[in-house]
Amino acid sequence: MDLETFTPASGRLEPRAALRSDAPSLDLNGTWRFRLSPTAGVPDDFARPDYDDTGWDDLPVPSHWVLQGHGAPAYTNVSFPIPIDPPHVPDENPTGDYRRAFDLPEGWTGGRLRFDGVESFARIWLNGHELGFTTGSRLPAEYDAAPYLRPGRNVLAVRVHQWSAATYLEDQDMWWLPGIFRDVTLTRSTADVFVHASYQDGRGTLSFEGTGTLSVPELGIDGLEPGAEITVDVEPWTAETPRLYEAVVTCPGETVRVRVGFRTISIVDGVLLANGRPLLLKGVNRHEFHPERGRAVPYETMREDVLLMKRHNVNAVRTSHYPPHPDFLDLCDELGLWVIDECDLETHGFGQVGWRANPTDDPRYADALLDRMRRMVERDKNHPSIIMWSLGNEAGVGRNLAVMSAWTRDRDPSRPLHYEGDRSCEHTDVYSRMYASHAEVEAIGRYEEDPLDDPELDARRRAMPFMQCEYAHAMGNGPGGLAEYQELFERYPRLAGGFIWEWIDHGLAHPTHEYAYGGDYGEPVHDGNFVIDGLVFPDRTPSPGLLDLKKVFEPVRFEFGDGVVRVANHYGFTDLSHLRFTATVQAEGETIAEHPLDVPAAGGECKLPEPADGPNGERWLTVRAVLAEDLPWAPAGHEVAWGQALLARPEPREHIATEAFTHTGTGSGTGTGRGFRRGGELTVGGCVFDAATGRLVRLFGTEVEGPRLDLWRAPTDNDRAAGLEARWRALGLHRLTHRVDDISTADGLTVRTRVAPADTDLGMVATYRWTFDGGLRLLLDIEPEGDWRDPIPRLGVTMSLPGPAVDRVTWFGLGPGEVYPDTGMAARVGRWSATVESMQTPYVYPQENGHRADVRWAELGGFRVSGEPVFGLTVRRWSALELAAARHRPDLVAGERVYVHLDLAHQGIGTATCGPGPLPAYDLMARRATLRVRFTQP
């Protein structure tokens, strides 16, 4: 068989809809016999029914053979793992042979063999007869099995080649994972139905294509003929209100069921509409992924994904970059997500050779590209959740896009077409971009984008809604800038929102690294940890980025005034009647009052209860919107939105006279009632300093090192991508030197130092002023010297303590999770407590994490540190240098010290791994600054 053919298939039946049928079917999933060969040139005698496969291994289907101990996975983003020489492939072509014997039920006649997903080129035999071959890995293929089925025992044989001419269409920023990874079924269903269900002004119009008759008992529709049309009163389908009606189509030999959702997608005056209302997409891109199973994702995991999305206020998903398992789309219909269904097409690697020989513009590939589009549309055409068809992703431009779009418009004019790769939008209905900056998004929202050279195409594009099919790259710590993007989407009607890249970290379970990324399997060509770029970790634990996204995407907003809260409804299609509202007052993080709020269904102004009496302290009001009753995607009490307002600040602390430090010289020491003094030390109130260096060495009995000025942080993925890490290391900010210039005890203890890296004249003058007024107060003045042109990583001090000294940290400030200048929208002011271990964010690729912001006070073992007024706090069992050196989570091993960072500021995070860096407002430039903190005993 020629693997280098442009023909997409042979022997395959015409594509049809994925339907729930009562026709008999036989599940052929399970344990198959398997043999892996290093090349394609293996005899095909294994397809004979009597072939002896006793020496073969067992392999589960669905699965990927490289995740079952046969070969190894490989990750690339853009690069092809084979030479770019279409349609040719290397001789080194891993080839998997599969065999499955099954017994045909008594009386069985006819049937089709259906493969829902095989990567990448499959030949199929039944009882020794070759049925044909198929390509298009993430699309179904059906074959007529009737002529070759036998009563009793049957043998199905499949040969899967990893590389073929079709490989050049599947370069989709993911692990290369060959095998039969979706379901295999023998079915006697042959039905194909296309239900059309539109909605306008409370009325739904229903018709269908196919054979037989259609009934919807709930709507009183019975015996509707193909091509006939009926209009009835209905409730519309939206992602917020996913109303489905069960339709029954009685076909020759079988009955199929279709869940019908009435909705209409349109574009009017450059605005994307659903059922006549503006549609704002709050979306994510979702690859199919499981850390043990790859793209063979169990149904329970798909459902978990949809539930997590709904619970974090996500309302849309783009199926990057191929059609998902059809069960996922059923879940989107049922639970409510707007979907862009994307064709199984990406040729990104051709961009590295100037797009030469790109299949998108190669007429020899026209049939293959059209075949993929047809199979997606025909399979998925009955899903109300699908609001757009996407021609593919990052496949350049070319004549084959016109072929795909023309067929799709003719087949299904009810859905707009999407494709980002062609800026002219010649074959699409929406203007789509990736990673446009905030400034560019605003310009497009104002219709002020740079014009196209062709005036006609330019005018056509300006009449389109705009969306970011990818933005805010969620790699590592981040993404930053979410709130600013969302504000733009909501301000300009032309902006239809967008989709975060992406849903999940593609970390494969690994015995040594915990989770593996590119290069961990010895791949000669790979893209490292660029596959670790999700809003949830591989085990689907939400990252801080997803928690921030939930806050940014909130469908309810709160504004506070004198004694009132204004509640704004940001749902597009429903009111607030399904929510319950509460107002809670806390003093220093302790609840002192809680009241229900009577919020109108449409939103509006609501009077707040009178302030309650309680202890003195900083008081905050928190208003929460939670589900009033159970919904299919979350239980009653699930928090949908919240807002906070400061009610009162604490009364000023009374001034306490400052006590002097005592220099004990070299004598035997004297007692003071507060502690014991010994030569060479400066002591006051149980706090001890080294007299020669002025450094704090004991704090209320706890041995400490520091605090010392620190400018370094373990670089984030975004820091690296923005070039900041390289500039920071070139400057030497990770290897600062400290010089004591002066020590004075005239008024407390003053230590003037200069902090600078080697081989530069840049530096920081850091003056520590220590006083004791019942607690140990530090006033640190920082003044830069020289021409600092680049942002710096952080500005603060670092101190370390013995490991056992701190196990748990309690703090009053923003929490419970991490916060950086342009992230942390999910954090709220409160009193929080966590172990040192749980304060770490477990990014798959270790990096700066765990910073708590706007901390008023924190208790760390034997002391409390208070801000004057606030500070940033990070507590770890490893240093920033150790964190920066780690490449996987297990590299981080708790040492003998706990490292405490008390910060004034951090550099912003941004999304430079793919997209813009931090907005200028979040750049941390060297400047004069003062840190004020006070240490006391709890």
Side-chain angles (χ1 to χ4, degrees):
M1 173 58 61
D2 183 6
L3 298 176
E4 298 175 348
T5 178
F6 293 98
T7 303
S10 70
R12 203 173 58 201
L13 297 171
E14 284 294 299
R16 65 189 182 107
L19 297 166
R20 293 176 293 157
S21 171
D22 65 357
S25 67
L26 198 60
D27 181 359
L28 297 181
N29 293 341
T31 301
W32 291 46
R33 303 294 283 164
F34 179 78
R35 175 185 68 185
L36 180 64
S37 302
T39 67
V42 187
D44 57 15
D45 57 346
F46 82 102
R48 296 196 324 263
D50 61 350
Y51 183 87
D52 182 6
D53 60 15
T54 55
W56 290 20
D57 294 320
D58 287 340
L59 190 78
V61 170
S63 74
H64 303 279
W65 71 63
V66 293
L67 300 183
Q68 300 293 326
H70 302 276
Y75 166 65
T76 62
N77 169 27
V78 176
S79 303
F80 279 102
I82 61 174
I84 303 176
D85 185 23
H88 307 297
V89 295
D91 292 338
E92 300 87 0
N93 190 352
T95 296
D97 290 331
Y98 293 77
R99 284 172 54 88
R100 170 75 152 88
F102 63 93
D103 291 326
L104 202 62
E106 187 174 348
W108 184 289
T109 59
R112 297 177 172 207
L113 279 167
R114 182 180 180 92
F115 295 82
D116 280 309
V118 185
E119 185 173 332
S120 69
F121 183 110
R123 293 174 66 192
I124 298 102
W125 291 263
L126 178 61
N127 293 325
H129 298 277
E130 184 168 1
L131 303 183
F133 74 87
T134 185
T135 62
S137 298
R138 280 140 301 262
L139 290 160
E142 286 190 333
Y143 292 88
D144 184 5
Y148 311 110
L149 286 170
R150 302 171 179 173
R153 184 177 185 270
N154 289 260
V155 176
L156 176 60
V158 182
R159 170 163 286 175
V160 179
H161 303 282
Q162 180 161 15
W163 311 127
S164 70
T167 298
Y168 292 104
L169 308 180
E170 298 180 358
D171 184 26
Q172 287 141 319
D173 185 10
M174 59 188 180
W175 293 98
W176 296 90
L177 301 173
I180 304 174
F181 69 96
R182 287 187 187 159
D183 306 297
V184 183
T185 311
L186 176 64
T187 177
R188 283 168 50 184
S189 172
T190 62
D192 188 19
V193 172
F194 190 178
V195 175
H196 305 277
S198 61
Y199 177 84
Q200 185 174 7
D201 299 330
R203 304 275 282 169
T205 301
L206 182 67
S207 65
F208 84 104
E209 302 173 37
T211 58
T213 59
L214 181 147
S215 301
V216 186
E218 187 177 355
L219 297 176
I221 299 172
D222 187 24
L224 187 68
E225 299 284 343
E229 189 174 276
I230 188 170
T231 299
V232 292
D233 292 337
V234 297
E235 299 173 51
W237 188 98
T238 74
E240 296 168 9
T241 57
R243 181 66 162 94
L244 294 170
Y245 296 87
E246 189 82 10
V248 179
V249 184
T250 304
C251 306
E254 64 183 303
T255 298
V256 299
R257 296 182 178 274
V258 180
R259 295 188 298 183
V260 177
F262 291 88
R263 57 105 188 97
T264 296
I265 305 300
S266 59
I267 295 171
V268 178
D269 296 331
V271 178
L272 180 65
L273 305 176
N275 303 331
R277 295 188 181 185
L279 175 55
L280 185 61
L281 300 169
K282 302 175 181 179
V284 296
N285 285 276
R286 175 189 176 269
H287 266 293
E288 292 189 301
F289 183 77
H290 187 281
E292 285 88 29
R293 303 187 185 192
R295 285 187 286 281
V297 181
Y299 175 82
E300 295 76 16
T301 303
M302 298 181 212
R303 186 174 185 88
E304 182 183 353
D305 277 346
V306 176
L307 294 177
L308 273 173
M309 291 174 190
K310 294 285 292 185
R311 291 169 183 168
H312 289 85
N313 295 328
V314 171
N315 73 1
V317 64
R318 173 177 173 233
T319 69
S320 53
H321 297 294
Y322 42 82
H325 192 290
D327 284 350
F328 180 78
L329 299 174
D330 286 338
L331 289 164
C332 293
D333 294 341
E334 172 191 335
L335 297 170
L337 287 172
W338 309 105
V339 175
I340 296 181
D341 201 5
E342 192 146 88
C343 187
D344 191 8
L345 170 65
E346 181 167 335
T347 66
H348 202 172
F350 285 86
Q352 301 192 154
V353 295
W355 296 104
R356 292 188 299 275
N358 181 19
T360 307
D361 197 37
D362 186 338
R364 297 174 298 175
Y365 271 107
D367 289 345
L369 269 64
L370 178 57
D371 173 73
R372 290 168 182 247
M373 197 71 192
R374 287 184 65 225
R375 288 157 69 196
M376 174 181 71
V377 172
E378 296 295 354
R379 190 197 73 167
D380 297 342
K381 58 198 173 190
N382 292 311
H383 289 283
S385 58
I386 297 174
I387 59 169
M388 290 186 205
W389 302 117
S390 177
L391 303 181
N393 182 69
E394 293 176 321
V397 296
R399 68 195 80 183
N400 294 334
L401 294 177
V403 175
M404 299 167 73
S405 65
W407 179 88
T408 309
R409 289 185 198 283
D410 181 68
R411 182 64 175 130
D412 181 24
S414 73
R415 292 176 172 102
L417 295 186
H418 167 271
Y419 179 67
E420 180 272 339
D422 181 4
R423 293 286 179 90
S424 76
C425 301
E426 183 176 1
H427 306 296
T428 68
D429 301 302
V430 296
Y431 178 21
S432 177
R433 289 284 307 283
M434 292 181 181
Y435 308 108
S437 68
H438 298 81
E440 187 174 3
V441 169
E442 179 165 20
I444 294 170
R446 296 165 60 92
Y447 298 90
E448 295 175 355
E449 67 265 33
D450 293 337
L452 296 169
D453 293 337
D454 184 322
E456 185 175 342
L457 284 176
D458 184 66
R460 182 175 177 274
R461 194 180 73 176
R462 287 180 192 274
M464 293 179 178
F466 173 80
M467 54 173 269
Q468 289 247 59
C469 66
E470 295 179 22
Y471 78 107
H473 197 252
M475 185 173 176
N477 188 331
L482 288 173
E484 291 81 1
Y485 273 122
Q486 192 64 24
E487 191 277 329
L488 293 171
F489 295 155
E490 295 178 5
R491 191 194 319 171
Y492 297 104
R494 185 189 185 191
L495 304 182
F499 298 82
I500 304 296
W501 186 267
E502 66 167 301
W503 176 242
I504 189 168
D505 285 343
H506 299 205
L508 289 171
H510 191 280
T512 302
H513 301 316
E514 185 177 6
Y515 292 114
Y517 48 76
D520 286 337
Y521 296 97
E523 311 100 297
V525 177
H526 66 84
D527 285 289
N529 68 313
F530 205 70
V531 77
I532 307 297
D533 53 5
L535 292 164
V536 297
F537 298 128
D539 64 358
R540 284 176 162 77
T541 300
S543 75
L546 181 59
L547 302 181
D548 282 354
L549 194 71
K550 177 184 179 181
K551 180 63 179 171
V552 170
F553 281 177
E554 280 180 346
V556 183
R557 303 284 171 77
F558 305 96
E559 292 183 4
F560 297 90
D562 287 339
V564 299
V565 58
R566 287 175 287 278
V567 183
N569 179 12
H570 282 252
Y571 286 106
F573 304 90
T574 190
D575 60 22
L576 306 180
S577 58
H578 65 293
L579 299 176
R580 175 169 50 85
F581 294 82
T582 59
T584 302
V585 178
Q586 291 186 324
E588 293 290 309
E590 297 289 343
T591 298
I592 60 174
E594 186 166 288
H595 308 275
L597 293 178
D598 187 13
V599 176
E605 192 168 278
C606 185
K607 182 173 174 52
L608 293 168
E610 294 295 324
D613 293 333
N616 181 43
E618 188 172 310
R619 290 195 181 193
W620 282 83
L621 168 70
T622 304
V623 176
R624 302 171 65 239
V626 303
L627 293 182
E629 298 178 350
D630 291 349
L631 289 179
W633 50 270
H638 167 77
E639 185 178 87
V640 173
W642 61 273
Q644 274 193 319
L646 177 65
L647 295 179
R649 295 196 182 278
E651 296 176 4
R653 193 170 59 87
E654 292 183 7
H655 176 73
I656 301 175
T658 299
E659 298 181 35
F661 285 74
T662 303
H663 184 192
T664 62
T666 58
S668 59
T670 59
T672 67
R674 289 192 182 89
F676 192 78
R677 307 175 188 174
R678 193 172 296 278
E681 295 178 341
L682 302 173
T683 302
V684 64
C687 303
V688 181
F689 294 79
D690 181 275
T693 64
R695 291 182 186 171
L696 181 66
V697 294
R698 281 194 298 281
L699 181 61
F700 305 122
T702 300
E703 177 256 325
V704 301
E705 293 179 2
R708 296 203 300 176
L709 180 66
D710 195 355
L711 308 179
W712 178 250
R713 74 181 185 198
T716 67
D717 288 317
N718 287 299
D719 292 337
R720 280 189 285 273
L724 288 174
E725 179 188 14
R727 282 138 64 189
W728 293 340
R729 288 189 181 277
L731 192 56
L733 298 185
H734 59 304
R735 48 175 175 79
L736 297 177
T737 64
H738 299 256
R739 185 186 74 216
V740 177
D741 287 340
D742 185 62
I743 298 176
S744 171
T745 58
D747 185 11
L749 172 64
T750 300
V751 183
R752 186 164 60 84
T753 69
R754 189 176 191 274
V755 182
D759 198 34
T760 178
D761 61 353
L762 301 181
M764 296 277 188
V765 175
T767 304
Y768 303 80
R769 293 182 172 87
W770 296 96
T771 55
F772 192 87
D773 59 358
L776 182 65
R777 175 177 276 113
L778 168 64
L779 187 152
L780 171 61
D781 284 324
I782 305 162
E783 184 170 357
E785 289 185 338
D787 186 11
W788 292 78
R789 298 188 177 185
D790 290 321
I792 58 177
R794 61 191 293 269
L795 188 63
V797 297
T798 299
M799 57 193 295
S800 72
L801 320 168
V806 182
D807 178 58
R808 175 170 290 273
V809 180
T810 300
W811 75 98
F812 177 48
L814 287 176
E818 69 184 26
V819 180
Y820 290 86
D822 52 348
T823 74
M825 288 71 71
R828 63 190 85 182
V829 176
R831 182 180 298 203
W832 313 101
S833 184
T835 64
V836 173
E837 286 72 22
S838 63
M839 292 184 76
Q840 316 311 306
T841 303
Y843 293 114
V844 173
Y845 191 102
Q847 56 199 276
E848 167 62 38
N849 74 89
H851 175 260
R852 270 61 178 183
D854 288 353
V855 176
R856 281 72 165 163
W857 55 259
E859 292 180 355
L860 300 97
F863 65 91
R864 171 186 281 210
V865 56
S866 303
E868 298 183 341
V870 296
F871 61 96
L873 174 68
T874 313
V875 185
R876 303 191 182 106
R877 296 201 184 277
W878 37 78
S879 69
L881 291 176
E882 291 169 328
L883 181 58
R887 294 295 176 264
H888 296 88
R889 292 181 189 173
D891 296 344
L892 293 170
V893 179
E896 297 180 354
R897 310 289 294 176
V898 170
Y899 296 86
V900 178
H901 300 266
L902 309 176
D903 288 330
L904 273 169
H906 263 264
Q907 166 68 4
I909 298 297
T911 178
T913 50
C914 209
L919 289 165
Y922 302 119
D923 278 337
L924 175 58
M925 307 306 295
R927 64 179 190 272
R928 294 189 65 174
T930 301
L931 173 69
R932 296 179 175 87
V933 293
R934 183 170 179 265
F935 300 92
T936 55
Q937 291 181 286

